[in-house]
């Protein structure tokens, strides 16, 4: 089977399985990149893909495309899904001929960056000045975007897909649709409710009628993932932080870090961040051992016992 036809077959299958458009788009972008690499190495048939070819592609991603180990592993994960489909569903490969079967994931450096309190204040003060000076949608929206993501620990996809109908200001509950289209409820603090009310009032006055989505462009249409990434790219240029990545996901990590520093339990953080697997939550505890030491020094039961 020609590789280009295999890609179409795989995409049709994922659409039939009702995967989200965002997930399918991510799969296909990675597979198209792999397809281009194969063609450049004169491989056009799916059956001619070997483990050596796949490994060379992954090395190319690391060395030439400057992908970090996490990104390389994500691409390998997609390739494993792709070739497993043609092994188990289409029977074009066996366990022995599947080129990704025995390729291990690269060892990753576990580093989760977070914003400091001072950096968060700097970001919010930057947008506050814009709000007072310009009073534009962008100033109000981008300020609230940072506050919302920090207060809810929402992922990028959860944020752009948030509708006003998902926001219950009376009961202070937000309903988000996360990975695998699983809906979850997040409690809203009083401070976040106050920010929601102010932003909602601004949107009603700006658009005359409240848009369907919470975060929109100037025409009232839903923001795309790429648009949010551009917001953080612009913010990065203005903040000029040297030691931390300025991104939506860094806000999510920062929220988890603050909860941990305040003594929140593993169970609470796992539920609040909507981690399907507790292992991801435990990464935070493993990384911020100094915070755990401080908490232990404060709360260890031996502190109040006499021997």
């Amino acid at each position: 089977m020609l590789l280009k036809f295999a890609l179409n077959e795989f995409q049709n299958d994922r659409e039939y399985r009702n995967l989200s458009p965002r997930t399918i788009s991510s799969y296909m972008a990675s597979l198209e990149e792999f397809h281009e690499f194969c063609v450049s190495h004169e491989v056009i048939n799916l059956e001619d893909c070997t483990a050596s070819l796949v490994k060379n592609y992954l090395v190319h991603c690391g060395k030439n495309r400057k992908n970090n180990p996490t990104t390389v592993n994500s691409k390998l994960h997609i390739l494993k899904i792709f070739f497993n489909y043609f092994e188990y569903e289409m029977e074009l490969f066996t366990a022995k001929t599947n080129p990704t079967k025995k390729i291990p994931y690269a060892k990753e450096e576990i580093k989760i960056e977070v914003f400091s309190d001072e950096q968060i204040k700097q970001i919010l003060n930057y947008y506050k000045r814009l709000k007072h000076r310009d009073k534009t949608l962008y100033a109000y929206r981008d300020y609230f975007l940072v506050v919302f993501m920090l207060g809810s620990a929402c992922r990028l996809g959860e944020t752009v897909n948030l509708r006003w109908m998902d926001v219950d200001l009376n009961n202070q509950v937000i309903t988000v649709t996360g990975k695998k289209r699983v809906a979850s409820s997040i409690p809203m603090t009083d401070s976040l409710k106050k920010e929601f009310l102010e932003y909602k009032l601004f949107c009603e006055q700006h658009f005359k009628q409240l848009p369907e989505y919470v975060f929109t462009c100037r025409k009232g249409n839903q923001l795309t993932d790429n648009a949010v990434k551009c917001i953080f790219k612009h913010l990065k240029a203005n903040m000029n932080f040297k030691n931390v990545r300025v991104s939506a996901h860094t806000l999510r990590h920062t929220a988890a870090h603050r909860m941990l520093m305040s003594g929140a339990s593993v169970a609470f953080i796992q539920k609040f961040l909507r981690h399907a697997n507790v292992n991801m939550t435990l990464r935070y505890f493993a990384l911020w051992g100094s915070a755990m030491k401080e908490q232990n020094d404060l709360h260890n039961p031996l502190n109040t016992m006499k021997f």
Side-chain angles (χ1 to χ4, degrees):
M1 178 184 289
L2 287 173
L3 256 174
K4 63 178 181 180
F5 293 152
L7 264 61
N8 290 335
E9 168 65 32
F10 179 77
Q11 181 174 358
N12 289 338
D13 178 78
R14 300 301 111 164
E15 290 173 352
Y16 172 75
R17 292 170 189 254
N18 200 30
L19 269 64
S20 71
R22 188 168 180 265
T23 299
I24 294 174
S25 177
S26 175
Y27 282 174
M28 299 315 298
S30 185
L31 291 172
E32 287 290 354
E33 182 183 286
F34 175 67
H35 181 209
E36 290 177 9
F37 178 84
C38 291
V39 172
S40 70
H41 286 71
E42 300 182 351
V43 175
I44 61 173
N45 290 313
L46 179 67
E47 295 88 342
D48 294 333
C49 292
T50 63
S52 177
L53 177 72
V54 174
K55 286 179 182 177
N56 287 339
Y57 164 69
L58 296 173
V59 170
H60 162 76
C61 290
K63 287 188 176 180
N64 301 325
R65 300 187 67 87
K66 306 302 181 184
N67 293 158
N68 60 37
T70 301
T71 302
V72 172
N73 282 342
S74 295
K75 291 180 176 180
L76 174 57
H77 176 67
I78 292 172
L79 286 174
K80 283 180 178 287
I81 293 172
F82 176 71
F83 281 103
N84 284 346
Y85 168 70
F86 284 98
E87 176 189 343
Y88 297 116
E89 302 291 331
M90 304 299 290
E91 298 182 351
L92 292 180
F93 294 98
T94 66
K96 289 185 177 180
T97 60
N98 183 331
T100 62
K101 187 66 73 175
K102 293 184 179 181
I103 298 180
Y105 289 102
K107 186 176 181 180
E108 298 180 28
E109 277 188 40
I110 301 176
K111 182 182 179 184
I112 300 179
E113 299 176 335
V114 298
F115 293 117
S116 67
D117 289 349
E118 193 58 40
Q119 287 170 332
I120 293 171
K121 289 178 183 177
Q122 188 175 334
I123 291 170
L124 294 179
N125 285 336
Y126 167 73
Y127 283 124
K128 282 180 181 178
R129 290 194 296 271
L130 287 182
K131 282 170 64 178
H132 293 146
R133 186 186 71 195
D134 301 335
K135 297 184 174 11
T136 61
L137 168 67
Y138 304 111
Y140 276 84
R141 181 199 64 196
D142 296 354
Y143 170 83
F144 181 65
L145 177 69
V146 172
V147 171
F148 170 77
M149 298 191 85
L150 189 61
S152 65
C154 276
R155 300 179 177 92
L156 176 56
E158 294 169 338
T159 300
V160 297
N161 288 323
L162 187 69
R163 294 174 167 86
W164 281 108
M165 63 181 291
D166 301 323
V167 181
D168 185 346
L169 291 170
N170 291 326
N171 296 307
Q172 296 185 212
V173 174
I174 307 164
T175 302
V176 297
T177 303
K179 291 185 175 180
K180 299 182 181 179
R181 300 186 181 179
V182 176
S184 305
S185 294
I186 304 172
M188 184 192 309
T189 61
D190 291 339
S191 57
L192 184 55
K193 176 182 178 180
K194 179 182 176 182
E195 297 291 348
F196 253 115
L197 288 170
E198 180 181 341
Y199 177 65
K200 184 179 182 183
L201 178 62
F202 175 84
C203 289
E204 288 172 336
Q205 294 174 346
H206 182 83
F207 291 108
K208 308 305 179 187
Q209 182 177 351
L210 195 65
E212 178 183 2
Y213 289 92
V214 174
F215 298 102
T216 68
C217 66
R218 61 185 178 84
K219 294 182 179 180
N221 298 323
Q222 177 187 14
L223 277 188
T224 63
D225 290 10
N226 192 56
V228 175
K229 290 177 182 177
C230 287
I231 290 172
F232 282 95
K233 185 178 181 180
H234 178 76
L235 182 62
K236 176 184 177 181
N238 281 278
M239 293 297 101
N240 196 31
F241 296 152
K242 300 296 185 183
N243 62 337
V244 65
R245 180 186 177 205
V246 180
S247 70
H249 217 68
T250 303
L251 285 173
R252 178 172 164 84
H253 291 324
T254 302
H257 180 253
R258 293 301 180 277
M259 291 174 188
L260 173 58
M261 293 287 283
S262 299
S265 67
V266 175
F268 170 76
I269 294 177
Q270 180 188 5
K271 187 170 183 180
F272 194 83
L273 270 66
R274 286 122 12 240
H275 285 156
N277 192 320
V278 73
N279 288 335
M280 182 61 221
T281 315
L282 291 174
R283 279 190 179 188
Y284 294 125
F285 284 79
L287 283 170
W288 297 315
S290 59
M292 291 293 288
K293 182 182 184 305
E294 292 167 7
Q295 293 294 321
N296 183 52
D297 290 342
L298 286 171
H299 304 297
N300 193 285
L302 295 182
N303 293 346
T304 57
M305 293 182 182
K306 293 182 180 180
F307 296 93

